[in-house]
Amino acid sequence: MTIVRLTRQRQAVLAAVRRSQEHPDAAHVFEEVRRDLPSISLATVYRSLEALVREGQIAKIEGAGGPTRFDGRLDDHPHFICQHCGAVIDLDIELPDLKAMITLPGLRITSTQVQFSGVCGDCSQPNN
Amino acid sequence: MTIVRLTRQRQAVLAAVRRSQEHPDAAHVFEEVRRDLPSISLATVYRSLEALVREGQIAKIEGAGGPTRFDGRLDDHPHFICQHCGAVIDLDIELPDLKAMITLPGLRITSTQVQFSGVCGDCSQPNN
DNA sequence: GTGGTTGCAAAGGCTTTGCAGGCAC
DNA sequence: GTGCCTGCAAAGCCTTTGCAACCAC
C-alpha cells in the first residue's frame, strides 16, 4: 500500500474542488490553485485529481461533453448537465435504491451514477 | 431543416452499431465497417456517428473511462461498466420514473442516464 | 445541378508520461 | 535518507476540421 503524502499542492487541489460549486474541470482547478501556488503545474493538478479520486476524496463526473469535471460532494446525488452552457447542477433528491434492482449475477458494483441532460433555466430564456 | 442523406457509409455505420452487442467505440465501428467499405475513413465514421446520435438513431455512452461508446438500443436502459476490462453491459431492469422526482424548476430534461460501475463477473474470477 | 458528404491530412483539445530535482515522512 | 511528488516539456490519445472531389437527391 502506497503512502499518500499531503503536499501543499494536493491540499490546495482538494480545497479548490471542495470550495467550488461549479464542478470544475482540471483547467479551472489549475487557475484557482495558481492564486495560492503560482508555480504549480497543470500536470500536478491532473495527478492530484487522479489521486484524490482514487482515494475517494472527490468524485469524477464524465459525460458532460467536454473535459472531465470533479465534485467535492461525496454523498450520492444526481446531476443535471446543461447541453447549452455546460453547467453541471446538483440535484438534491432522494433516489430509490437502484443497485438493489439489478438481477444480473456476478457484478460487483462500486458506484452508481444518475445524470440528466437537457437545457437549464438560464439557457431557456428567450434572450439566450 | 437539413435533409439527411442515406449514403452507403452512413448505412454501414448504423448497421455496425446495431449489430454489435459490445457498445463499440468509433475505432471498433471503423474496423467493422471497413470490411464492406475498405475505403471509408475514420473521419467519416466519426461524422456519421455524430449525425446518427443527433437524429436519435443511436445513443452515446460516455463515462466508460476511455473513448466514447455507442449503443444501437434506443429504449431507456441502464449500463454497467467494468472498470477492469472496460466492458459495457446492458441491464434489463425497469427503472422508476426518476425524471418525475426532480423538483428544481426551469430545467428542460431531454435524457436520463443511469450507469453502474464496478467489476464484472469475468474479471472477478481469481485467475484474472 | 445543388448541396450535403466523403477521404485525406493536419490540427485541435484534453490528458498522460519521462525525467531530474525537490520535499514529506 | 528514502521514495513519493513536483515542474517542465514532450508525447499520447481521441476527436474535429479544412479542403477539393464526389454522389444522393
Side-chain angles (χ1 to χ4, degrees), chain B:
Chain B
M1 176 73 188
T2 307
I3 295 159
V4 177
R5 293 192 184 166
L6 262 180
T7 61
R8 266 175 310 147
Q9 289 88 339
R10 211 161 276 185
Q11 292 178 57
V13 167
L14 176 55
V17 175
R18 286 208 176 132
R19 187 190 319 136
S20 171
Q21 302 298 309
E22 298 163 336
H23 310 83
D25 58 20
H28 281 96
V29 173
F30 180 50
E31 280 178 36
E32 191 65 22
V33 171
R34 234 183 185 180
R35 298 189 196 177
D36 294 316
L37 299 173
S39 68
I40 196 174
S41 72
L42 185 54
T44 296
V45 171
Y46 272 104
R47 281 187 282 228
S48 299
L49 288 169
E50 188 208 351
L52 291 167
V53 168
R54 207 172 39 227
E55 288 172 42
Q57 307 229 48
I58 61 177
K60 198 188 276 204
I61 306 172
E62 288 171 300
T68 300
R69 312 276 290 254
F70 296 90
D71 192 346
R73 273 183 60 179
L74 289 174
D75 64 298
D76 216 1
H77 63 281
H79 291 117
F80 174 84
I81 296 171
C82 177
Q83 288 163 339
H84 188 264
C85 69
V88 175
I89 299 171
D90 287 320
L91 297 176
D92 291 303
I93 60 176
E94 192 73 29
L95 287 174
D97 187 4
L98 299 170
K99 206 160 101 176
M101 306 175 80
I102 297 176
T103 50
L104 195 62
L107 305 179
R108 203 187 314 157
I109 294 167
T110 54
S111 91
T112 303
Q113 260 196 53
V114 177
Q115 281 181 6
F116 302 90
S117 19
V119 183
C120 74
D122 289 351
C123 290
S124 290
Q125 300 299 318
N127 49 325
N128 279 346

Side-chain angles (χ1 to χ4, degrees), chain A residues 59-72:
Chain A
K60 197 187 274 204
I61 307 172
E62 288 171 301
T68 300
R69 313 277 289 254
F70 296 90
D71 192 346

Side-chain angles (χ1 to χ4, degrees), chain A residues 55-89:
Chain A
E55 289 172 41
Q57 306 229 47
I58 61 175
K60 197 187 274 204
I61 307 172
E62 288 171 301
T68 300
R69 313 277 289 254
F70 296 90
D71 192 346
R73 271 183 61 179
L74 290 173
D75 65 298
D76 217 1
H77 62 280
H79 291 117
F80 173 85
I81 296 171
C82 177
Q83 288 164 338
H84 188 263
C85 70
V88 175
I89 299 170

